[in-house]
Amino acid sequence: MSAITHRAAVLGSPIAHSLSPVLHSAAYAELGLDDWEYGRFEVDEAGLPGFLEGLGNEWAGLSLTMPLKRAVIPLLDEISETAASVEAVNTVVFGPDGRRRGDNTDIPGMVAALRECGIEEVESAAILGAGATASSALAALSRVCTGEIVAYVRSEARAVEMKQWGERLDVEVRTAGWGEAAAAFEAPLVIATTPAGTTDELSKSVPERPGTLFDVLYEPWPTELAARWSMFGGAVVSGLDLLVHQAVLQVEQMTGRAPAPLEAMRQAGERALAAG
């Protein structure tokens, strides 16, 4: 067994549920990177500066999940335009000189997952929810949607936030109350960004000929909404598709090896979910 000379890991709180170690380790195995190791660490905002300062030269990069995606920004030397556009970093790559560069692979990961499903361009789209993932969804839609985007939200404060993100990303966003969320299903593309169980009641309103649903959840899977969508013949993109595509980009940035093994990573993720 080779000695470990390169390290990477996912940080967040909570972190025990993360599939990132499964996906990245599968990539290393497929690429023959026997001297690479990928772990997970429970780190919150208060502990992040100290964690970064304690890393040695063997560290190649980090994946970040909540609540660190915004907290890390002041600790970096530079961030990509993509990350700056939504003020969220999910990837940190360490340069040979120790410089810390932040990026956001969630946005291009969403675009790649949609393209894999055959979605290159849509005339309109709907977003269910208005949290952090919704801003990434909006940024992804700025690359594939040519017309209006409607965000269905639970409060006026969230509506204001989504409109502000729309202005920042230069996309047309209209907001509507959650009570009207069933109307989202008239759009050719619907992105559900809400927590587990939130859209269960809405699943009763899926039309007979739905378009494409991108549900960012992957556990439990399928969600009631995704199951009913599939039952009516609609195309469904899952949260695992997103997770794999964004991880592919992380592996390529951290290792310098491209293309990363998409299918091997997806299969590893599917096996891990099936095993519980």
Side-chain angles (χ1 to χ4, degrees):
M1 185 175 177
S2 301
I4 300 302
T5 59
H6 296 83
R7 296 186 188 278
V10 60
L11 313 182
S13 183
I15 201 61
H17 67 286
S18 177
L19 275 182
S20 292
V22 171
L23 304 182
H24 285 252
S25 296
Y28 298 166
E30 191 75 11
L31 293 170
L33 300 175
D34 299 333
D35 55 347
W36 281 69
E37 183 178 78
Y38 190 99
R40 64 160 69 89
F41 293 90
E42 182 87 15
V43 179
D44 60 14
E45 292 126 306
L48 183 59
F51 185 91
L52 289 176
E53 288 303 321
L55 299 181
N57 294 333
E58 75 277 16
W59 283 84
L62 298 169
S63 307
L64 301 177
T65 185
M66 300 306 291
L68 305 178
K69 293 184 179 183
R70 189 163 292 175
V72 75
I73 293 175
L75 307 174
L76 302 175
D77 296 300
E78 59 178 311
I79 66 170
S80 68
E81 288 184 15
T82 302
S85 73
V86 291
E87 294 181 1
V89 166
N90 78 326
T91 307
V92 176
V93 177
F94 301 111
D97 56 357
R99 285 180 63 82
R100 306 167 181 168
R101 184 177 191 276
D103 193 14
N104 185 308
T105 63
D106 286 331
I107 295 165
M110 280 187 177
V111 174
L114 286 169
R115 285 181 175 155
E116 187 179 45
C117 187
I119 303 293
E120 295 281 349
E121 187 176 280
V122 290
E123 294 181 355
S124 62
I127 298 175
L128 299 175
T133 306
S135 62
S136 291
L138 199 55
L141 286 174
S142 72
R143 305 183 184 189
V144 299
C145 184
T146 59
E148 184 182 63
I149 300 167
V150 184
Y152 293 86
V153 301
R154 290 189 176 278
S155 70
E156 183 58 35
R158 290 294 197 183
V160 170
E161 283 181 18
M162 286 302 283
K163 287 175 181 175
Q164 289 174 340
W165 281 119
E167 291 173 5
R168 180 166 183 163
L169 294 162
D170 196 26
V171 293
E172 180 185 354
V173 182
R174 179 167 65 84
T175 60
W178 190 256
E180 304 172 50
F185 301 155
E186 298 169 12
L189 172 61
V190 179
I191 303 183
T193 69
T194 52
T198 307
T199 59
D200 288 358
E201 189 66 26
L202 281 178
S203 65
K204 300 172 183 175
S205 302
V206 174
E208 289 188 6
R209 293 185 178 179
T212 297
L213 171 69
F214 192 158
D215 195 325
V216 302
L217 295 172
Y218 61 83
E219 194 175 21
W221 188 262
T223 61
E224 286 193 25
L225 179 59
R228 193 164 179 84
W229 202 275
S230 294
M231 188 173 74
F232 282 109
V236 175
V237 183
S238 76
L240 181 60
D241 295 321
L242 167 60
L243 193 65
V244 170
H245 276 283
Q246 66 82 27
V248 159
L249 297 170
Q250 290 184 333
V251 168
E252 291 175 353
Q253 288 190 32
M254 293 178 192
T255 68
R257 297 278 295 273
L262 173 69
E263 284 310 314
M265 295 168 70
R266 192 200 312 274
Q267 289 168 15
E270 289 171 346
R271 286 194 300 271
L273 289 174

